Every structure is written in C-alpha cells, then in structure tokens.
RNA sequence: GUGGACGUAGCUCAGCUGGUAGAGCUCCGGACUGUGGAUCCGGCGGUCGUGGGUUCAAAUCCCAUCGUCCACCCCA
C-alpha cells in the first residue's frame, strides 16, 4: 500500500491535546509580550534562502526541497522561518511601523534529512522575530519568552546555552586567528574536521571526537575576541539575564547553523532527548534584512521545534486530558431514532458536545459507546420514552436516571453541564 | 550522504535448527430479548513490508528495494 512519505507523520486525534496545549501556551505568551501572528507561504523563491540562510550552510547545500514550477521559477519549501518573515517585513514596508515589529509564527518546515529521533523531513516550528531594534533587552525578552514557555508546559531538564557570534567587525579578525590556529593542528584533526576547516571553521567546535576536543582546548574562542561594541552588547545581555532567575551557561563553542547570525546566539537543550536534544535556538541577525534587499535593520529571533517539545513532555508524562463529550443519545427503534436525531440537533445548536450511534449498535453497545466517549450523560429514547413524552437521562457518573420532558431536555442538560464546567 | 538494528492481525508481540500462521489488547455479538465501566464465551480481522532467488517446501535462508528505529553529518 501507499505509505506517507519518508520522514513525515500523521497527527491523529489522540495526539492532538498535547500539541494543542503547546500551541495554546505559546500563543498566550507571545501575545502577552506584544507579538502579532504572521503566516508566510509554504514555499518561497529559492534565492531567499540562498541569500538569507547562506550558501555555506548545510541547509542550502543539501537539505532543501527545491522544485521548478510550471512557470519556470525555482521555488523551495521553507526550511526555516526567519528569512520568510524578514522578507515579509520588507515587502510590506513594516520598517515604516513603530519599531521594533514583533511577530510570531507557527509553521511547517521542510528539510531533506535522514529521519531519526526528534527529526523529520516535515516538522513544525513555533517562532518569534523582533525586527528593528538592536536593544540587548530585546534579546533577553526573546530568551525569557521561550524559557517561560518551557516552564509553563513543564518541559523537564531544560538548559540554556548562550554565546555571541560578534559582527562584521570582529568576526573576520577572529576567523583569521582561528584559521591559523587550526592550520597548526590540522594533521591531528579527524577527517570531518579537516573538511570543516575549509568550509566553515567555526564548525570544528561541534566535533565529538576526543582527540579533536583535546586539540581544540587551546583554540581561541569568538566570545573572547569580540570587538568593543559587541562586548558591550553581550555584557548587557548577560546583566539583564541575571535579573531573572534563569540559569544559563556561557558556551563559546556554541555555533548556530545559519550564516545570518550576529552577536547573541542561544540554544535551549533538553537532556531527556538523546542526540537531537536541541529543542530551540535563536539569536540576533542584524545583517539579514539588508542581505535580502531591505534597509539596514537589526533584529533577533527564535525558533523551537514542536515535535521535540512534545517528546520531552511525553518523557515527563505530561498528558493533558483527552476531549470528552457531554451527552450521548441512545435511540432504540426506528420511530424513536427520529426523535433522537431531532434532539441531537437541538442540543448541538446550544454548543453541547453530543453524539449518537451510527453503527447500528444494540442498546448495550450504545451504552458502551457512551462510556467510551466519556460522556457525562446518556439520553435514552425508546418506545417507552416516546409514549411518556419524557427522555430517560442517565448520569454516567452516578448511574442515576431521570425522566425529563423533551421540551425541557436542553435546559436540563445545559444547567448541569455548565455547573460541572465551573467546578 | 555514511554506519548499525528491525519490519508477522488496527495495536503490543510469539512463531526453536525451513514443513504453508498464534496470543493478548481493541472492535462486534452473546450470557444479561431497552442500559456502560467487572467476568466468561463466541466472532470479525493477516498479500507474514514489497519484489526476486535457493528449495519438493520459505514468516523462517540469500539478494534487492521500500519503510521504521538508533547513531554520524547537521539541525527544531
């Protein structure tokens, strides 16, 4: 049979409550911080990512879902969320709005990678971007927003790593310093690292080989080689972060994957997650807007993976209650069934969650279905009820039954359902 | 792209060194002719991922392919 494409997955009804809890909490936190939601297209002009994310990044080099449409355009399913938001900012003249412009999103991302735990070819990211300010307090606002999201949800064992990538002023000088150091130890590095040296030297810090780690102990770090302005900015971020009770670790070996990052970078990890333990990351990207054709505009942002949050929550047994139904209507006999269907629609109009049997079950089977669905009441309508003009309403919790006039049924149920909802 | 493990009923799995498939759960029904959550009984349900090969005979052995999982690269 035909299966879903490799690296994709279906979200079935039982999976929804947890995901919705994450999305709802994120929406609440973003809105409370003054971020407005933005949706950008599923695909963008390929050049947006080539220029924005950078040709040297793995994403652009080998992970993009790129295709040519019937008009001959090269388009790409978006592999990340920041470049599209920056594009929209420019396209809609948002630089004329009061700055910074604060936006959040919840979107699907696509990357052609080998799937593994916490990694998919299509995944969902929640993200926020604040464009138009270089205030270090903005970096901290973003960090704290996500820290409080993880905390509100109960994500276990979250750790924050913080670093600075410097800017166009200090990074080139540092790159030269690092390169000459790496040249001096080159023969001792693993093959992967030797390759990194030529493509993206900073990446050597990601290596897990003991021998490389030992050699790199003596390597110069970017955080120790910031220019005056970047140092002041970084110090300010740290001071502000210290105002909150959030722990963090300065990690000069933290390197983020996109070329557009400048100054502050950070990453949240969850120790429960195995190899793909990064649950979210972000930072400042003061050069991106200009890079893709807008005015010089400082900005900072963050993205976090829905699947990884969900995995972390599951590891901590966080499980919101499944959706239940208020009322299940049991119709017995063809004549009574017409009345049952009529009551069904009356109750639904009042926003009562109500369902009925469509599988031809016997009375016992329908009762069982009412129980399975978690309904609070079963409304039984048979020949006896039609004759008496009253439905038999069974409280599924206590097992007590009441005879209720059909005319009074909606009000009778509504009163009791609302009373319980308020508890 | 590289390396390793694994694909048997909707789900979780059993099936020894080849002799043409089982259990538990779920679902439907009965015991209880119109009443759930307990028990017992019965029933539905399988191209043994797919395609080749070896063999008298393949779920079982071999190859390929697809997929899943784990790790690397890298990333959410």
């Amino acid at each position: 049979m035909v299966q879903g494409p490799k690296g994709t997955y279906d979200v079935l009804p039982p999976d929804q409550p947890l995901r919705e809890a994450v999305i709802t909490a994120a929406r609440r936190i973003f809105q409370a911080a003054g971020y407005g939601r933005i949706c950008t297209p599923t695909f963008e002009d390929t050049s947006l990512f080539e220029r924005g994310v950078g040709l040297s990044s793995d994403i652009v080099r080998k992970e993009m879902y790129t295709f040519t449409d019937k008009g001959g355009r090269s388009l790409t399913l978006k592999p990340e969320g920041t470049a599209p938001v920056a594009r929209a900012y420019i396209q809609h003249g948002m630089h004329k709005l009061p700055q910074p412009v604060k936006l959040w999103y919840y979107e699907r991302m696509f990357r052609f990678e080998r799937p593994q735990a916490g990694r998919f070819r299509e995944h969902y990211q929640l993200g926020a971007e604040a464009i138009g300010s270089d205030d270090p307090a903005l970096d901290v606002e973003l960090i704290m927003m996500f820290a409080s999201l993880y905390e509100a949800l109960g994500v276990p064992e979250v750790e924050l790593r913080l670093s600075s990538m410097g800017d166009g002023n200090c990074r080139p000088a540092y790159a030269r310093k690092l390169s000459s150091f790496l040249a001096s130890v080159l023969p001792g590095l693993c093959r992967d690292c030797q390759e990194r040296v030529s493509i993206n030297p900073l990446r050597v810090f990601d290596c897990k080989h003991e021998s490389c780690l030992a050699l790199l102990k003596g390597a110069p770090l970017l955080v120790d080689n910031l220019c005056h302005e970047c140092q002041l900015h970084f110090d300010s971020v740290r001071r502000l972060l210290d105002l909150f009770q959030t722990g963090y670790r300065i990690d000069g070996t933290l390197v983020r994957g996109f070329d557009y990052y400048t100054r502050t970078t950070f990453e949240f990890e969850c120790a429960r997650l195995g190899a793909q333990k990064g649950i979210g990351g972000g930072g400042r990207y003061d050069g991106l807007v200009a890079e893709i054709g807008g005015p010089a505009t400082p900005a900072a942002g963050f993205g976090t993976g829905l699947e990884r949050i969900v995995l972390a929550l599951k590891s901590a047994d966080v499980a919101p209650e499944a959706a239940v139904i208020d009322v299940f209507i049991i119709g017995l006999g063809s004549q009574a069934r017409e009345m049952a269907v009529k009551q069904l629609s009356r109750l639904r109009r009042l926003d009562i969650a109500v369902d009925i049997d469509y599988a031809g079950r016997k009375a016992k089977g329908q009762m069982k279905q009412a129980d399975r669905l978690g309904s609070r009441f079963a409304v039984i309508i048979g020949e006896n009820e039609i004759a008496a003009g009253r439905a038999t309403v069974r409280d599924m919790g206590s097992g007590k039954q009441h005879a209720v006039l059909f005319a009074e049924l909606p009000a009778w149920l509504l009163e009791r359902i609302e009373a319980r909802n308020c508890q």
Side-chain angles (χ1 to χ4, degrees), chain A residues 20 48-49 71 89 102 250 282 313 382 404 406:
Chain A
E20 279 166 11
L48 173 64
F49 301 115
Y89 173 89
K102 305 204 284 189
I250 302 294
L313 291 175
V404 181
F406 285 120

Side-chain angles (χ1 to χ4, degrees), chain A residues 5 14 28 104 108 117 123 170-171 181 215 223 231 238 244 258 261 289 293 302 306 310 362 367 394 418:
Chain A
R28 195 191 76 235
W104 73 272
R108 300 173 190 242
H123 75 282
C170 47
R171 211 188 316 177
F181 170 82
L215 282 175
V223 264
Q231 189 65 53
R238 293 182 58 180
F244 301 92
F258 308 145
Y261 283 115
V289 174
F302 186 100
L306 180 65
V310 166
K362 304 282 169 54
M367 210 56 194
R394 181 181 178 87
E418 281 174 353

Side-chain angles (χ1 to χ4, degrees), chain A residues 135-153:
Chain A
D135 190 333
L138 197 55
D139 306 37
V140 174
E141 171 175 287
L142 284 159
I143 292 170
M144 290 314 298
M145 242 173 21
F146 284 87
S148 55
L149 172 60
Y150 301 137
E151 192 188 341
L153 291 168

Side-chain angles (χ1 to χ4, degrees), chain A residues 277-339:
Chain A
K277 61 184 178 177
I279 54 174
R284 182 157 280 289
Y285 49 93
D286 292 338
L288 177 62
V289 174
E291 180 62 40
I292 60 176
T297 310
F302 186 100
T304 189
L306 180 65
E307 293 79 1
R308 291 187 187 173
I309 293 177
V310 166
L311 281 173
L313 291 175
K314 280 183 177 167
S315 82
D317 287 323
V318 174
E321 280 181 33
V324 294
I325 210 161
D326 299 315
V327 177
F328 193 83
I329 299 182
I330 295 173
L332 303 168
S334 57
Q335 201 190 344
R337 179 150 170 100
E338 284 180 22
M339 177 59 99

